[in-house]
Amino acid sequence: MTLNDLFETIKARKTADPTDSWTAQLLAMGPEKCAEKFGEEAVEAIIEAVKGDQTALTSEAADVLYHLLVMLASRDVELTDVLDELAARQSRSGIAEKASR
């Protein structure tokens, strides 16, 4: 499964019955809750990175990616737009890109 496939599944859950899908439940709680869950998962990934537990970090990283996609879907931001932004940044150095913000 690719991130694109996962994102399409998440978007399809926006109209699913929340009693049948965790993703539908999360989306039904609104963008603020989706953002909160993303933040929680990011913190958990940071903790595992600091601890050095590769297995736990791998699991938490998957959670972070999933919750990022849910958060994007909750605000109708397309994954392709995010990927296009990353592609545009490839031609600039990270230092110059950060300075331009």
Side-chain angles (χ1 to χ4, degrees):
M1 173 179 280
T2 67
L3 285 178
N4 287 319
D5 295 335
L6 178 57
F7 191 61
E8 291 305 314
T9 299
I10 289 167
K11 289 193 314 183
R13 295 295 191 271
K14 288 177 88 170
T15 58
D17 182 349
T19 62
D20 294 333
S21 163
W22 164 245
T23 302
Q25 284 180 27
L26 193 53
L27 289 165
M29 289 183 229
E32 295 80 6
K33 185 63 175 180
C34 294
E36 179 184 327
K37 284 299 293 174
F38 171 71
E40 289 171 8
E41 296 301 335
V43 169
E44 290 173 11
I46 291 166
I47 291 167
E48 296 307 333
V50 170
K51 288 172 34 180
D53 185 334
Q54 288 184 331
T55 301
L57 177 56
T58 298
S59 177
E60 293 301 336
D63 289 345
V64 167
L65 289 174
Y66 163 77
H67 284 90
L68 172 61
L69 296 178
V70 170
M71 183 176 65
L72 292 174
S74 74
R75 286 295 188 190
D76 297 319
V77 174
E78 289 295 327
L79 178 58
T80 54
D81 293 339
V82 176
L83 296 176
D84 289 346
E85 177 65 21
L86 285 172
R89 291 180 184 187
Q90 278 186 310
S91 62
R92 296 180 282 188
S93 85
I95 294 170
E97 191 281 324
K98 187 166 183 156
S100 72
R101 286 193 245 162

